[in-house]
């Protein structure tokens, strides 16, 4: 699909991908009480708590409708 306003893009290392299930990531991303940077931190911390076997790196970007995209 298209990159729509409100969409969130997660770029991550394999350390996160292998340690945290998609449902766990979606649960954190759906939290309305956290800012985008806080969600990113929570995702990394959750992976580390799950004994990630590799470096964990994550970046979140959200389409806010300004600037025409990424």
């Amino acid at each position: 699909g298209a990159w729509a306003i409100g969409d969130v893009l997660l770029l991550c290392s394999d350390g996160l991908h292998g340690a945290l299930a998609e449902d766990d990531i979606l649960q954190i991303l759906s939290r309305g009480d956290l800012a985008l940077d806080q969600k990113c931190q929570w995702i990394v911390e959750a992976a580390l708590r799950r004994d990630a076997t590799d470096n964990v790196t994550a970046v979140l970007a959200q389409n806010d409708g300004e600037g025409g995209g990424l």
Side-chain angles (χ1 to χ4, degrees):
W3 172 244
I5 294 174
D7 284 354
V8 176
L9 175 67
L10 169 62
L11 302 174
C12 67
S13 64
D14 58 347
L16 173 62
H17 179 266
L20 207 55
E22 184 177 339
D23 287 344
D24 295 325
I25 294 170
L26 290 173
Q27 184 177 12
I28 294 169
L29 290 177
S30 68
R31 291 191 55 151
D33 62 329
L34 298 175
L36 197 62
D37 62 334
Q38 292 172 310
K39 291 176 183 183
C40 191
Q41 185 65 35
W42 276 52
I43 288 170
V44 169
E45 289 175 1
L48 293 173
R49 282 193 306 271
R50 299 267 171 87
D51 296 326
T53 59
D54 202 348
N55 293 334
V56 177
T57 304
V59 175
L60 290 176
Q62 186 168 26
N63 185 348
D64 62 5
E66 297 182 21
L70 288 176

